[in-house]
Amino acid sequence: MQADVLIPLWQDLVREAASRGERIRIHGGGSKAPWWAAAQHSGADTAEHTLDATLLSGINHFEPTELVITARAGTPLTEIEAALAEHHQFLPFEPPHFARASGGQATLGGMVASAMSGPARISAGGVRDYVLGASLLSGRGEVLRFGGEVMKNVAGFDVSRLLCGSLGSLGVILDVSLKILPVAPAETSLRFAMTQDEAIARCNAWAAQPLPLNASAWLPDRSGSSGKGVLTVRLRGARAAVQAAGAKLGGERMADTDAATFWTALREQTLPWFTPTWPGDSQAALWRLSLPTTAPALDLSGTQLVEWFGGLRWLISAAPASIILEAARQAGGHATRFRGGDARAPVFEPTQATLLRIQRQIKTAFDPHGVFPTLF
Amino acid sequence: MNAPLQPDLAARAARQAEVVAALGAVVPPHILLWQPEEVTPYECDGLSAYRRKPLVVVLPETEAQVAAVLKACHRLNVPVVARGAGTGLSGGALPNEDGVLLALARFNRIKRVDPVARTATVECGVRNLAISEAAAPHGLFYAPDPSSQIACTIGGNIAENSGGVHCLKYGLTVHNVLQVRGYTVEGEPLTVGGLACDCPGPDLLAAVIGSEGMLMVVTEVTVKLLPKPVLARCIMASFDDLRKAGDAVAAIIAAGIIPAGLEMMDQPMTVAAESFVHAGYDLDARAILLCESDGTPEEVEEEIGRMTEVLSLCGATALKCSESEAERLRFWSGRKNAFPATGRISPDYYCMDGTIPRKRVADMLEAIQGMEGKYGLRCVNVFHAGDGNLHPLILFDANQPGELHRAEAFGAEILETSVAMGGTVTGEHGVGYEKINAMCVQFSPEEREQFFAFRRAFDPGETLNPGKQIPTHARCAEYGKMHVRGGLLPFPDLPRF
């Protein structure tokens, strides 16, 4: 449907819902649905209305020489990535699609609302680092545009980046402008056998050197209990730099096709590690722990996969949520229950009372009638 | 003639006494200034065209004092404006006449450099360049490099989301800060962001950065540090045509190259800079591009080769590549001194700060040439060409009747043209007090009201740096500007005056 027809209909829907005290569930491609639903405290399951954000789709404006693309929020990421690839450009933060794992189709709006980035996030930055502008349908039914299509823009509060991680709580994202980058001339992946602690230390040491280090992933050995595992690192950049760094770091070089398959499977959570045979415990959950890169290996039951030079730890564990949340807090970060486990437990836990108050007031500022779901 | 002002002055004196007494009860007297000769040095920031004496200046030495001052001001409903080094160019730290100016220069300690985590935790008054100096022994640096980096503070950089030459490749402040700590308007401690890559919920850190001191008072910042490039080299390219130079900028980016810096100066700017620093600029060139590559020696060699090829294909009339660090710095000396060089050729100048899409650089320069005739004033141009951020310097003489007014009108038209070309009214200097009218052009009434609503989520009474950044509806009505969207004015066929 045309945007100029659809958006006024959505505005009417929001205004009517606001006047009646009803709630709207925003439905995108569904690729992150399990986590998304769990993350929203209200409105996800009990909303009176559903708004299908995928109806608003298509690339509005793509200017390869400007390194900018603007597209409607319901546009599938596959469509955007294909358009960029024609010009040898890409989304450097490698957003996950979770298509095979979820059966859904990742969209641009969902990417921004979930603020999920892939393996390169630690060196290339995250979704928020590439958002230049966005349009929003607020809880007042107003269509608002923030930011723009230029790289440097400090006019007004940075609401377009604020939307990253908002999970639809502030309104319906209508379109997004993103900075993009050219595909790097070269990349190569290297493998090293080492423990998790060694991998974290090694990655941090390398990251302090001028090396084209782009991504890392440490996976435990299949037995899971030996403490041993394999660190895979990806180098990406100028040909000469990748070549020189590869020679310097050593390790076992992966075949390019194997490497591409590995990093995609990691991003998409289709590696076997993500679907283990968990011995008879239905309470096991997949946790996402975002930590300082230098945090040591966490002593938690279950199995761990480490990305982002130590900054992202995936944990499959049946341990009580309270123990995992506290361990993440002690390590200087936070944990979110990504999939499975006790559905009644909160997914987010903001720790500061002042921050919680401000987050709730921000929600009210954009959605005074509580039309959209809340997070905190 | 002054009689009508007396009641106001008396009221101000009474209010001042009330505020001084309240603050004196919670902080030591030596950090409070209120006599005219004491507060005068704080009456403006780097934009000296606008001056206001604050009611009281407070020079806190501890976070407890910051909290106490904010609590007292909140109780008395006193506006608070935070200030760092005062190098801002948009009047962002312009004091409020009825308020407290919180001068945070004493928060100048580097608390921790963690070479393993590649972070530095510093107080808000630490100078931008001092962070890189502290990180240098570890082979690390802090990337955002505003031109004033020798003096400007990281707290001010947070307020303005500052950039610089390196930002094309390494990003702005928002891309290089992990966490800020500080106080709400009520004096409550608040931490935004974290030492991990992300935090749950909407990205408040991004919203605080660039908020011009209107959401919280930042006292401590944790920044990312990056490995220092081993080598940097710079190409200086001459063009006999502005459009060819503009097209070369787009061609470099289209070739898949992200230079460490990509700057452009037009001929009048080059002439002014050359007479000031003697950098060896080509005075016959209509425009000069400075294209820098940094990284390992192998990377730099590869990139310099590719950039040279593109620039030649785009019609560069001369190309020189720096062969030494001294030569590289000489190439940059004119660009880095563009503002003082301009100060030598004109009694006054008015620096603008719009951003446009890269491909419109030549269009904008031609538009500015037209405006020179219209307003009867000269304009020299220096661009962060790689990201489309322009800094036209409008030359005028404030002692000549009408010239300041014409310069302001000239500047306003440049910003309106920036918006019409798909850009923005400020790329890196901030809106502050200076460009508040220009915001009427870029944002609709609903968008501006949403900004206010967002701000009230942090500061319900709107007492942190009031009257900056976001214009009220009444102000926009008075300014008489209509909302430009997608380059289209309402009723574009109507003549305008």
Side-chain angles (χ1 to χ4, degrees):
Chain A
M1 197 182 294
Q2 293 293 312
D4 55 356
V5 176
L6 187 62
I7 292 174
L9 290 175
W10 285 356
Q11 287 182 281
D12 290 343
L13 175 68
V14 171
R15 287 179 184 136
E16 281 179 28
S19 68
R20 292 178 190 160
E22 295 171 347
R23 285 174 295 180
I24 296 174
R25 171 177 173 264
I26 306 168
H27 179 76
S31 66
K32 302 167 189 77
W35 179 67
W36 197 290
Q40 295 174 337
H41 273 195
S42 66
D45 300 324
T46 57
E48 285 84 358
H49 309 278
T50 296
L51 187 153
D52 183 357
T54 63
L55 294 175
L56 193 65
S57 176
I59 294 170
N60 301 17
H61 181 216
F62 173 33
E63 186 66 56
T65 62
E66 295 290 328
L67 297 179
V68 173
I69 189 165
T70 298
R72 295 187 177 122
T75 312
L77 285 186
T78 48
E79 185 180 330
I80 290 171
E81 287 169 339
L84 299 181
E86 279 184 31
H87 297 270
H88 219 51
Q89 297 178 344
F90 78 132
L91 301 174
F93 48 93
E94 298 183 303
H97 294 215
F98 296 145
R100 264 176 57 196
S102 67
Q105 185 173 47
T107 62
L108 176 63
M111 178 191 86
V112 172
S114 67
M116 279 191 192
S117 306
R121 194 263 179 262
I122 187 64
S123 60
V127 177
R128 52 98 73 184
D129 294 302
Y130 290 85
V131 169
L132 298 175
S135 293
L136 180 76
L137 174 57
S138 75
R140 293 186 181 82
E142 294 170 340
V143 175
L144 310 168
R145 173 80 177 157
F146 302 103
E149 291 190 321
V150 290
M151 302 286 160
K152 273 189 183 169
N153 182 355
V154 291
F157 299 116
D158 196 345
V159 175
S160 47
R161 284 196 177 91
L162 177 76
L163 296 175
C164 295
S166 64
L167 289 174
S169 63
L170 304 181
V172 185
I173 298 172
L174 299 176
D175 60 57
V176 179
S177 299
L178 292 173
K179 174 184 168 180
I180 51 182
L181 285 182
V183 173
E187 70 175 54
T188 194
S189 294
L190 307 169
R191 284 200 150 150
F192 307 83
M194 61 180 72
T195 66
Q196 188 186 143
D197 270 326
E198 288 169 341
I200 292 168
R202 191 75 68 88
C203 284
N204 279 289
W206 283 335
Q209 299 171 34
L211 297 166
L213 212 57
N214 175 259
S216 76
W218 179 87
L219 275 82
D221 283 350
R222 280 190 181 278
S223 68
S225 56
S226 65
K228 293 179 180 169
V230 172
L231 170 69
T232 309
V233 297
R234 183 172 61 196
L235 305 170
R236 183 179 272 178
R239 274 187 195 86
V242 169
Q243 213 165 18
K248 180 176 178 178
L249 299 186
E252 178 196 346
R253 186 179 165 174
M254 293 177 77
D256 289 348
T257 49
D258 292 348
T261 304
F262 170 79
W263 292 110
T264 302
L266 173 67
R267 186 193 76 186
E268 294 303 303
Q269 299 193 346
T270 53
L271 285 175
W273 184 88
F274 285 98
T275 49
T277 309
W278 199 254
D281 192 340
S282 59
Q283 288 303 305
L286 174 65
W287 288 86
R288 180 183 186 277
L289 283 71
S290 185
L291 306 178
T293 58
T294 49
L298 300 180
D299 185 18
L300 290 167
S301 64
T303 176
Q304 294 179 44
L305 186 159
V306 181
E307 286 190 72
W308 302 0
F309 307 166
L312 182 64
R313 322 273 171 103
W314 295 102
L315 166 70
I316 296 174
S317 176
S322 57
I323 289 177
I324 294 168
L325 292 167
E326 183 56 24
R329 201 175 298 134
Q330 290 289 331
H334 58 87
T336 57
R337 184 170 49 78
F338 198 77
R339 206 161 47 226
D342 182 0
R344 294 161 302 176
V347 168
F348 298 134
E349 277 202 330
T351 52
Q352 285 183 78
T354 307
L355 187 61
L356 180 60
R357 172 172 58 82
I358 290 171
Q359 282 172 324
R360 287 177 175 163
Q361 286 170 181
I362 290 171
K363 159 76 175 164
T364 304
F366 283 87
D367 180 23
H369 309 289
V371 171
F372 301 113
T374 56
L375 297 182
F376 300 109
Chain B
M1 289 293 286
N2 291 331
L5 295 176
Q6 290 307 318
D8 287 348
L9 287 175
R12 188 171 191 274
R15 179 64 162 168
Q16 188 181 51
E18 181 188 22
V19 173
V20 170
L23 294 176
V26 294
V27 297
H30 72 273
I31 69 166
L32 295 178
L33 311 174
W34 69 90
Q35 299 295 344
E37 64 274 19
E38 294 175 324
V39 301
T40 298
Y42 298 93
E43 68 181 356
C44 68
D45 58 14
L47 184 65
S48 57
Y50 301 108
R51 296 167 189 267
R52 286 181 194 154
K53 287 189 177 61
L55 206 58
V56 183
V57 174
V58 187
L59 298 161
E61 295 163 322
T62 66
E63 292 210 10
Q65 290 172 355
V66 172
V69 168
L70 286 166
K71 281 179 182 164
C73 290
H74 183 60
R75 185 164 47 79
L76 294 174
N77 195 31
V78 176
V80 176
V81 178
R83 172 190 163 113
T87 56
L89 292 170
S90 60
L94 180 70
N96 188 295
E97 284 171 329
D98 301 318
V100 164
L101 185 78
L102 200 57
L104 295 161
R106 289 176 176 170
F107 283 75
N108 59 0
R109 286 183 308 151
I110 292 175
K111 298 174 95 169
R112 192 167 50 255
V113 174
D114 185 337
V116 181
R118 304 164 316 282
T119 61
T121 299
V122 303
E123 290 182 336
C124 60
V126 168
R127 293 176 303 113
N128 173 294
L129 191 59
I131 302 175
S132 287
E133 287 168 351
H138 308 289
L140 302 169
F141 80 119
Y142 175 62
D145 58 343
S147 296
S148 57
Q149 68 178 151
I150 194 168
C152 65
T153 65
I154 188 69
N157 293 174
I158 297 287
E160 305 295 346
N161 190 15
S162 304
V165 167
H166 276 125
C167 291
L168 176 60
K169 181 171 177 179
Y170 296 107
L172 302 158
T173 302
V174 72
H175 302 107
N176 288 279
V177 168
L178 288 171
Q179 175 179 286
V180 298
R181 231 167 44 74
Y183 293 85
T184 65
V185 67
E186 298 94 352
E188 298 299 323
L190 179 66
T191 300
V192 179
L195 303 185
C197 279
D198 50 28
C199 294
D203 195 330
L204 295 192
L205 180 64
V208 166
I209 295 173
S211 62
E212 305 198 13
M214 297 171 80
L215 303 183
M216 63 184 287
V217 173
V218 172
T219 53
E220 184 190 284
V221 182
T222 300
V223 302
K224 292 182 202 171
L225 300 174
L226 298 178
K228 208 172 168 184
V230 179
L231 178 69
R233 291 181 74 195
C234 180
I235 302 173
M236 184 163 68
S238 304
F239 287 87
D240 58 7
D241 181 82
L242 288 173
R243 193 160 288 280
K244 282 183 194 168
D247 290 347
V249 171
I252 287 175
I253 303 296
I257 304 166
I258 308 293
L262 182 49
E263 302 283 307
M264 179 171 169
M265 295 190 292
D266 70 1
Q267 192 171 31
M269 184 76 253
T270 306
V271 171
E274 179 63 19
S275 68
F276 185 47
V277 298
H278 310 294
Y281 292 149
D282 180 354
L283 299 181
D284 295 326
R286 292 294 310 280
I288 281 180
L289 289 183
L290 294 171
C291 314
E292 181 148 301
S293 171
D294 69 11
T296 63
E298 302 88 4
E299 273 179 293
V300 172
E301 189 180 354
E302 185 175 317
E303 199 165 84
I304 287 283
R306 293 173 66 206
M307 290 200 299
T308 302
E309 195 178 333
V310 174
L311 290 165
S312 299
L313 286 171
C314 289
T317 52
L319 287 171
K320 276 166 81 175
C321 186
S322 65
E323 297 297 335
S324 67
E325 182 64 4
E327 188 173 31
R328 184 183 76 86
L329 294 175
R330 188 163 57 78
F331 285 1
W332 280 109
S333 62
R335 169 62 189 91
K336 293 270 185 182
N337 288 288
F339 290 11
T342 305
R344 295 174 79 239
I345 61 168
S346 176
D348 300 284
Y349 66 84
Y350 186 32
C351 174
M352 303 314 297
D353 169 41
T355 305
I356 54 171
R358 271 182 284 259
K359 65 178 180 183
R360 304 299 301 272
V361 166
D363 294 337
M364 177 55 100
L365 287 172
E366 284 172 5
I368 288 173
Q369 279 177 352
M371 292 176 214
E372 285 183 307
K374 178 177 173 183
Y375 294 101
L377 295 172
R378 287 188 301 147
C379 182
V380 298
N381 289 286
V382 53
F383 279 78
H384 298 299
D387 46 36
N389 184 202
L390 51 133
H391 292 312
L393 302 172
I394 302 164
L395 313 184
F396 70 101
D397 182 350
N399 290 323
Q400 298 300 317
E403 284 210 3
L404 172 60
H405 180 69
R406 294 212 306 277
E408 287 179 331
F410 192 158
E413 186 167 343
I414 291 174
L415 297 184
E416 288 172 26
T417 307
S418 298
V419 175
M421 286 184 174
T424 175
V425 297
T426 174
E428 59 180 3
H429 292 177
V431 175
Y433 184 75
E434 178 203 23
K435 299 192 197 73
I436 196 160
N437 288 339
M439 291 287 282
C440 305
V441 179
Q442 191 168 338
F443 293 100
S444 70
E446 294 80 14
E447 289 158 351
R448 297 194 304 267
E449 185 45 49
Q450 186 61 66
F451 281 141
F452 279 119
F454 172 69
R455 180 253 175 90
R456 286 193 291 268
F458 286 80
D459 176 13
E462 301 184 41
T463 54
L464 279 181
N465 210 8
K468 310 284 175 61
Q469 195 176 31
I470 314 300
T472 60
H473 186 63
R475 187 175 185 113
C476 289
E478 189 182 336
Y479 184 54
K481 294 297 174 186
M482 280 173 285
H483 181 220
V484 178
R485 174 55 55 86
L488 295 176
L489 281 164
F491 309 107
D493 51 330
L494 293 181
R496 297 181 190 283
F497 303 97

